[in-house]
Amino acid sequence: MFHRRADALFTVVTRTAGAVSGGVLLVLAAVIAWHALAALGDPGLSALLGTRWQPSSGHYGVAPLVFGTLAVAALTLLIAVVGGAAAGLAVGWLLPARVATGLRLLLLIAAGIPSVVWGLWGLTTLVPLIGRWAPPGTSWLSASLVLAALLLPTVAVSVDSSLRAVPASARQAVAATGLSPWAGLAAIGLRPLRHGLVVGSTLALARALGETMVILLVAGNVAQFPRGLGDPLRTLTGAIALEMGYASGAHLAALFALGAIALAVVVAILVLAQCLGGDREVVLA
Amino acid sequence: MRALLLALGLGLFLLPAAERITLTGSSTVAPLAAEIARRFEAAHPDVRIDVQTGGSSRGIADVRAGRADIGMASRAVRPGEEDLIAHTIAIDGVAVIVHRDQTVRDLSREQVIGIFTGAITAWPMVGGSGDVPLVINKAEGRATLEVFCDYFGLKPAHIQARSVVGDNAHGIKTVAAHRDTIGYVSIGPAETAVADGVAIRMLGLDGITPSTETLRNGVWPVSRPLNLIITTTTTPSPTVAAFLAFARSPAVDDLIADLGYVPPPR
């Protein structure tokens, strides 16, 4: 069936790798779900549905944490998508090639900065600045700004690479008709732009929902419903990271429930993004 | 053949070692005990040491029932527990910290309680500088929070936090980020941060200055001993006795400091 043994081997290796990674994910989800089920017994479903998270007083309401996760992700995505689209358009379409190459390199480097570096920068530089307006500065806004700085390059690189996939001959033909770059974009660039935005923002959203350390350092982590951008909030992953080392019994079960909820939120939003995106290729991203 | 060898290797790995020591109890003591155990095992390859957490009460119950060779407890032995012998391996002390630019140098116990419960709403009310005191609290379950609450008679729910932090380094950086903050961390890391020029300051409490020195000689009150517990009714095996002696020797001082604790007087 195969022309070469190498092809057969390659197929086996890739299929095995795919099956193993898929299997590991399923096992992970199953283990988390199994431990989370214990939380339905103690502290119990009605406790989980409460609105206060104070484990030492027996309050295990997940609502403020779910709200915190969604609030940080929403504001982050807004900033990262607007900024990332602008940067991607500039580099991939509007700027002359020589300038664009340099900027593209900067974006790729920025996309590779480890997240904890952003977190420390946020805590030592951004938080004191925000603190002048909303002391002490660890807040919803700080968390979303740092996270957006982390994710903006990802969106920009995605938009840029989609735009650059437009054949040079097509761009030259459009330019030859005398259309401005903007009009040219409207003529042949909108589909790739949309594709790049959907792929980039889906990746950014998944990361924003799951990111832990950066948010932990700058969000203030008070388990409450923030009344404004300057108020602290706590995310699902933040609560797990803060309390896992010391939890036992009902508290531990509740933390696994938080993990299961975080997983469910990520899966639900990614599925939703794929349905809305409507673009088949997004499935591969 | 390969499978057989693999099975043999696994079997050897799983076979009980010549001697096994089991420690159970406090999750505050456990990380330190585990590090000490690792170093002890390196010097004694025939000994395996098992460290399990479950709280100080479980550690004491297990060692009484003989389910553990050594119990771990993050509290002193109480009156009525004369059947227990405590070997203190480290002292966990907590100091209140503020930003370096804060002008107040010392607070009373009542003032600290007032600030952390939100009753004191301005720094000048306690002779300090700045506006509203910004309380930086530790996450629930953290040992430092327990020591703090025990001494000041507070419950975690009473504390009106503006920011919640995880480990000591996180707490120190957050306090250093704003001039109106107040928080608390283990004394060891706070002393190191001050020496490194981080913008924080440790506050005196009722006239007592926090330092590893005042903590070690028992003058600093916001502290607790980290104990390894055995009973008077059973004689420890030579290996257990050797481990207890090792855990109380200067050979583990660096491990104690790494976790933010202070070696006990020896």
Side-chain angles (χ1 to χ4, degrees):
Chain A
M1 174 174 180
F2 294 102
H3 291 293
R4 285 196 219 152
R5 277 178 63 101
D7 287 346
L9 187 69
F10 181 71
T11 310
V12 170
V13 168
T14 48
R15 281 190 188 158
T16 313
V20 166
S21 52
V24 166
L25 194 67
L26 284 181
V27 169
L28 188 81
V31 168
I32 291 175
W34 174 253
H35 284 285
L37 277 179
L40 295 181
D42 185 13
L45 186 62
S46 59
L48 294 174
L49 292 177
T51 55
R52 272 200 298 163
W53 177 266
Q54 271 165 6
S56 64
S57 330
H59 295 293
Y60 294 100
V62 302
L65 309 178
V66 173
F67 183 86
T69 290
L70 295 177
V72 167
L75 183 60
T76 301
L77 202 63
L78 185 72
I79 305 169
V81 166
V82 171
L89 258 180
V91 172
W93 197 269
L94 300 174
L95 291 175
R98 214 179 293 167
V99 187
T101 310
L103 284 179
R104 184 173 296 126
L105 191 66
L106 280 181
L107 279 178
L108 285 170
I109 293 170
I113 295 176
S115 60
V116 71
V117 173
W118 282 114
L120 282 177
W121 170 79
L123 183 52
T124 55
T125 310
L126 183 70
V127 164
L129 279 178
I130 305 254
R132 289 186 197 172
W133 162 67
T138 45
S139 60
W140 179 7
L141 183 61
S142 302
S144 281
L145 281 178
V146 176
L147 203 50
L150 177 76
L151 297 178
L152 190 149
T154 308
V155 179
V157 167
S158 168
V159 167
D160 171 49
S161 56
S162 283
L163 287 174
R164 284 202 297 151
V166 175
S169 57
R171 292 181 67 162
Q172 282 159 3
V174 169
T177 62
L179 287 177
S180 72
W182 287 106
L185 181 73
I188 58 169
L190 284 185
R191 262 186 69 85
L193 173 64
R194 175 168 159 270
H195 175 252
L197 270 180
V198 170
V199 172
S201 51
T202 308
L203 286 173
L205 180 59
R207 184 94 187 267
L209 289 168
E211 183 59 52
T212 308
M213 282 318 291
V214 167
I215 302 179
L216 200 64
L217 285 172
V218 300
N221 308 309
V222 180
Q224 63 174 13
F225 295 99
R227 278 161 302 175
L229 290 176
D231 272 3
L233 51 67
R234 189 186 295 190
T235 61
L236 290 163
T237 50
I240 296 172
L242 278 175
E243 295 168 14
M244 194 48 127
Y246 303 86
S248 58
H251 187 188
L252 187 64
L255 291 183
F256 271 102
L258 296 186
I261 293 168
L263 198 61
V265 168
V266 170
V267 170
I269 288 187
L270 289 186
V271 168
L272 196 70
Q274 268 183 30
C275 295
L276 290 182
D279 217 325
R280 267 299 164 221
E281 289 121 297
V282 182
V283 178
L284 300 174
Chain B
M1 186 61 201
R2 205 179 286 174
L4 192 71
L5 278 175
L6 196 70
L8 251 172
L10 265 179
L12 277 177
F13 188 71
L14 295 172
L15 270 179
E19 176 146 16
R20 182 180 287 269
I21 306 180
T22 306
L23 281 75
T24 70
S26 161
S27 59
T28 313
V29 187
L32 176 59
E35 288 297 320
I36 294 174
R38 198 174 301 163
R39 191 169 283 180
F40 188 79
E41 282 173 346
H44 305 79
D46 53 331
V47 179
R48 284 280 165 279
I49 304 176
D50 236 7
V51 179
Q52 298 165 12
T53 58
S56 298
S57 316
R58 180 186 160 195
I60 289 168
D62 282 354
V63 75
R64 273 186 175 141
R67 285 188 296 266
D69 301 292
I70 300 170
M72 298 177 288
S74 52
R75 63 170 178 81
V77 169
R78 293 175 183 146
E81 295 180 331
E82 280 76 21
D83 59 323
L84 302 177
I85 303 170
H87 294 273
T88 301
I89 56 171
I91 306 171
D92 182 14
V94 174
V96 174
I97 59 170
V98 290
H99 192 273
R100 188 172 52 199
D101 296 345
Q102 179 55 253
T103 53
V104 78
R105 292 285 182 275
D106 189 284
L107 292 175
S108 70
R109 188 171 180 276
E110 282 64 38
Q111 286 172 327
V112 172
I113 294 171
I115 290 173
F116 276 82
T117 54
I120 290 170
T121 52
W123 271 112
M125 289 166 71
V126 293
S129 58
D131 300 325
V132 186
L134 305 168
V135 172
I136 313 297
N137 198 19
K138 288 266 190 163
E140 293 200 16
R142 295 267 162 181
T144 326
L145 170 72
E146 280 173 33
V147 179
F148 183 83
C149 284
D150 280 353
Y151 179 78
F152 290 101
L154 294 168
K155 287 219 165 65
H158 294 158
I159 297 176
Q160 300 295 313
R162 296 296 288 265
S163 194
V164 176
V165 296
D167 56 17
N168 288 315
H170 189 187
I172 288 168
K173 287 203 178 67
T174 307
V175 167
H178 198 281
R179 66 186 167 85
D180 290 349
T181 49
I182 182 165
Y184 55 89
V185 290
S186 294
I187 285 181
E191 223 170 41
T192 311
V194 170
D196 290 348
V198 180
I200 63 155
R201 181 192 302 286
M202 285 192 275
L203 282 189
L205 184 66
D206 293 314
I208 305 167
T209 310
S211 72
T212 48
E213 240 357 90
T214 52
L215 174 61
R216 198 197 283 239
N217 59 29
V219 175
W220 180 253
V222 196
S223 74
R224 63 176 169 181
L226 305 187
N227 285 328
L228 297 184
I229 307 269
I230 55 172
T231 63
T232 51
T233 47
T234 41
T235 323
S237 75
T239 316
V240 170
F243 178 71
L244 287 173
F246 181 72
R248 284 166 55 78
S249 72
V252 300
D253 277 0
D254 56 324
L255 302 177
I256 294 171
D258 281 349
L259 286 162
Y261 306 136
V262 172
R266 297 190 176 103

